[in-house]
Amino acid sequence: MTPPVEELTGVAAIDPGIDDLIANSARNRQNPPSKDQTMIINMGPQHPSTHGVLRLVIEVDGETIVGLAPDIGYLHTGIEKTCEAKFYQQVVPMTDRIDYLCPMTNNLAYCLAVEKLLGLEIPERAQYLRVLFNELTRIQSHLVWLGTHAMDIGALTVFLYCFREREDLLRIFEAVAGQRMMTSYVRVGGLSLEPPRDIYDKIRTFLKNFPAHVEEYEGLLQTNPIWMNRLKGVGYLSAADAIALGVTGPPLRASGVDFDVRRDMPYSGYEKFQFNVPVSDVGDVWARYIVRMQEFRESVKICLQALDGLPEGHIVADAPKIILPNREQMKTQMESLIHHFKIVTEGFGVPAGEATSSVEAPHGMMNYYVVSDGTAKPYRVHMRNPGFATLQALETMCKGRLLADVVAVIGSIDIVLGEIDR
Amino acid sequence: MYDPASAIKGKQAVFEAHPENAAVKALADLATDAKFDRAELTITVARESIVSAAKAVQQAGYNFLEDVTAVDWYPSEPRFQISYSILSHKLKERLRLVVRLDGEDASLDSITSVWPSANFYEREVFDLFGVHFGGHPNLRRIMMPEDWKGHPLRKDYPVEGYR
């Protein structure tokens, strides 16, 4: 159900002569254009709207896109190869750097896979805190998406407002993990630190104010005719195409597939939380915008439940041979000192086998596939990042649209090149 | 802690323990080996039957190809393990299909005809492991430059590179 294009442009109504132009334009031409009619345009590797080094080879007929091929690999970090040379616990800081907008989600996904291999039981308090900070990370990531998406289309104020709220969250992360972006907060077996006692009030204050900010963004954008016309009917993706092309997360739900890993295959205690999964069957850039705006509100709901239900207890599992002892224990107990020394110098062995963990990251489904050969270093770590697959759908979304729409579509799929060019 | 004895290994044992599983039913003829470990079902199929296995599980309701990746078990043979992670949105279940390949002749058929999303995944495996996918529409390097020598994620590729 492609929304009608004519209704949205509004130009036909103003100038009746333009009807003929539209009818004769390449978009409506019966025969595909021959090679001598088209032109290849390279968008990127450096382009303000690609948010990283992404090159798009676009074939245009006039201004209409007839073909598009993403070219990636400019940012190769060799992270999967490097993981094979590290101890299990040393991989956690590397996962931060995969997707710098949701480091905690990456930490969690990796740790879940290793914990599955080990068969570790995680205390409930750690699970609640993991959920809490994962949802705050989702809000943070969506704020960057909304800000940069709006900026690409020309609404700079929203960008500044979003980064103002993001700053509050980064301060919370800094107080909790000691780092604003590369948090490494989630560790195998639990969390790295008990959060400071006063942080819960700060989070509550943020959550109390945040819904009003979301309304503020909506007020700025949804009363803006330029914003509406640039989004509605652009970048259509059907549910069947989305599934065939491997799209996950908000773009998949905006195409009408009601699937969310948090609800349907719960991990880290998500089954205890009540929340809705926003779904839209329109499938365009506008629908993806709406789905993510609703996710802001659902994340706030989950965070409040996590704060209210936060149980007392330990933040790490009871496994002294795997989890570093705390500083005080290490200084006073010989056993703990030995464990500390051995974990740092020799790592810990993981029973042989393979495990896949799957989490709902802000951009979509993120899987970690960890293979162990029984030693202290992972034999293979593979990351299934949502952006890599979603990028394949870009051509389907952009074909037949104008060159300027590519900018809107890239913003709507919310890619981070760090996770694509592993 | 994890107890390795809890895993169910072997085709016969898995197929007896999970007779109602949709993937088990669909792959009854094609599977050569199976494993149910850490609540994850892994079914091994022969190289020749990967496309028909993919079609069979797709018809059984596993509608979403999440990922294709490889593990290099160098120097043992068969060297490569190609793992397909397949999800069912409706059943809310995951399946891992595995194909084992010899190092000498690391090639198998592409499943892009079943799931177009395999395009990028298979290109990645081709680029980083040097496994050839027959029938792939555009089997070129995706991450490394076109003229790069070697396949970085192979175990005999040094961390520092050849040069």
Side-chain angles (χ1 to χ4, degrees), chain B:
Chain B
M1 293 296 286
Y2 171 71
D3 174 21
S6 64
I8 308 172
K9 287 198 171 136
K11 182 186 170 187
Q12 196 69 27
V14 171
F15 279 47
E16 273 168 21
H18 299 277
E20 288 306 306
N21 187 297
V24 165
K25 274 186 191 164
L27 294 175
D29 301 330
L30 294 169
T32 57
D33 192 9
K35 183 175 80 168
F36 189 79
D37 189 12
R38 297 172 173 97
E40 289 180 2
L41 181 65
T42 308
I43 295 183
T44 310
V45 296
R47 165 167 86 173
E48 295 74 29
S49 50
I50 181 61
V51 176
S52 39
K55 273 186 191 145
V57 292
Q58 193 183 42
Q59 275 161 13
Y62 288 81
N63 60 335
F64 190 82
L65 177 71
E66 288 180 324
D67 202 8
V68 181
T69 188
V71 185
D72 181 8
W73 291 104
Y74 180 81
S76 53
E77 288 285 346
R79 179 171 172 179
F80 293 108
Q81 170 190 346
I82 314 290
S83 298
Y84 299 80
S85 181
I86 306 169
L87 176 82
S88 165
H89 283 143
K90 208 193 287 164
L91 305 169
K92 307 188 195 335
E93 268 177 28
R94 185 170 280 124
L95 165 74
R96 188 182 296 127
L97 267 186
V98 165
V99 178
R100 297 274 184 167
L101 296 177
D102 284 335
E104 290 298 300
D105 178 25
S107 65
L108 75 169
D109 288 335
S110 164
I111 58 162
T112 41
S113 56
V114 187
W115 281 290
S117 60
N119 186 338
F120 267 29
Y121 309 143
E122 288 178 348
R123 271 178 75 186
E124 191 191 352
V125 173
F126 166 73
D127 185 357
L128 303 178
F129 286 91
V131 174
H132 192 270
F133 289 89
H136 189 286
N138 183 23
L139 198 63
R140 287 185 299 122
R141 285 189 182 272
I142 187 165
M143 300 233 177
M144 310 302 286
E146 287 284 333
D147 56 350
W148 191 266
K149 290 211 171 57
H151 302 285
L153 280 181
R154 286 190 173 196
K155 286 281 176 184
D156 53 355
Y157 187 96
V159 179
E160 292 85 10
Y162 286 123
R163 279 167 279 189

Side-chain angles (χ1 to χ4, degrees), chain A residues 76-83 94-95 97-98 383 422:
Chain A
H76 203 291
T77 53
I79 201 159
E80 288 180 9
K81 183 81 173 171
T82 318
C83 288
M94 318 241 330
T95 60
R97 279 136 183 99
I98 275 283
M383 298 120 183
R422 292 181 297 276

Side-chain angles (χ1 to χ4, degrees), chain A residues 338-360:
Chain A
I338 293 169
H339 285 316
H340 189 283
F341 183 74
K342 284 188 78 94
I343 293 169
V344 170
T345 54
E346 293 172 11
F348 50 82
V350 171
E354 51 195 340
T356 306
S357 67
S358 175
V359 303
E360 185 71 32

